[in-house]
Short mmCIF file of all heavy atoms in Angstrom, two decimals:
data_model
loop_
_atom_site.label_atom_id
_atom_site.label_comp_id
_atom_site.label_asym_id
_atom_site.label_seq_id
_atom_site.Cartn_x
_atom_site.Cartn_y
_atom_site.Cartn_z
N GLN A 75 25.75 9.00 15.49
CA GLN A 75 24.60 7.97 15.63
C GLN A 75 25.04 6.88 16.53
O GLN A 75 24.12 6.08 16.90
CB GLN A 75 24.29 7.51 14.15
CG GLN A 75 23.71 8.56 13.35
CD GLN A 75 23.25 8.04 12.09
OE1 GLN A 75 24.13 7.89 11.11
NE2 GLN A 75 21.99 7.73 11.90
N CYS A 117 16.29 7.56 7.82
CA CYS A 117 17.61 7.67 8.69
C CYS A 117 17.54 6.59 9.66
O CYS A 117 16.47 6.31 10.26
CB CYS A 117 17.63 9.05 9.29
SG CYS A 117 19.06 9.24 10.50
N LEU A 118 18.63 5.87 9.97
CA LEU A 118 18.72 4.73 10.94
C LEU A 118 18.37 5.30 12.29
O LEU A 118 17.82 4.49 13.18
CB LEU A 118 20.02 4.13 11.03
CG LEU A 118 20.56 3.32 9.76
CD1 LEU A 118 21.99 2.91 9.89
CD2 LEU A 118 19.64 2.17 9.36
N HIS A 159 23.20 14.15 3.60
CA HIS A 159 22.62 13.54 4.87
C HIS A 159 23.64 13.39 5.97
O HIS A 159 23.50 13.71 7.14
CB HIS A 159 21.86 12.28 4.47
CG HIS A 159 21.22 11.63 5.59
ND1 HIS A 159 19.81 11.56 5.63
CD2 HIS A 159 21.57 10.99 6.71
CE1 HIS A 159 19.37 10.85 6.79
NE2 HIS A 159 20.52 10.55 7.47
N GLU A 160 24.78 12.73 5.60
CA GLU A 160 25.86 12.51 6.50
C GLU A 160 26.59 13.74 7.01
O GLU A 160 26.85 13.84 8.20
CB GLU A 160 26.86 11.44 5.99
CG GLU A 160 26.30 10.15 5.61
CD GLU A 160 25.34 9.42 6.68
OE1 GLU A 160 25.65 9.63 7.81
OE2 GLU A 160 24.49 8.87 6.22
N HIS A 163 24.42 15.19 9.48
CA HIS A 163 24.58 14.64 10.84
C HIS A 163 25.68 15.23 11.67
O HIS A 163 25.63 15.44 12.83
CB HIS A 163 24.82 13.13 10.71
CG HIS A 163 23.52 12.25 10.64
ND1 HIS A 163 22.72 12.24 11.68
CD2 HIS A 163 23.19 11.37 9.70
CE1 HIS A 163 21.74 11.37 11.46
NE2 HIS A 163 21.96 10.79 10.22
NI1 NI B 217 20.83 9.41 9.13
#
Side-chain angles (χ1 to χ4, degrees):
Q75 293 182 278
C117 178
L118 294 175
H159 183 108
E160 300 312 325
H163 267 302

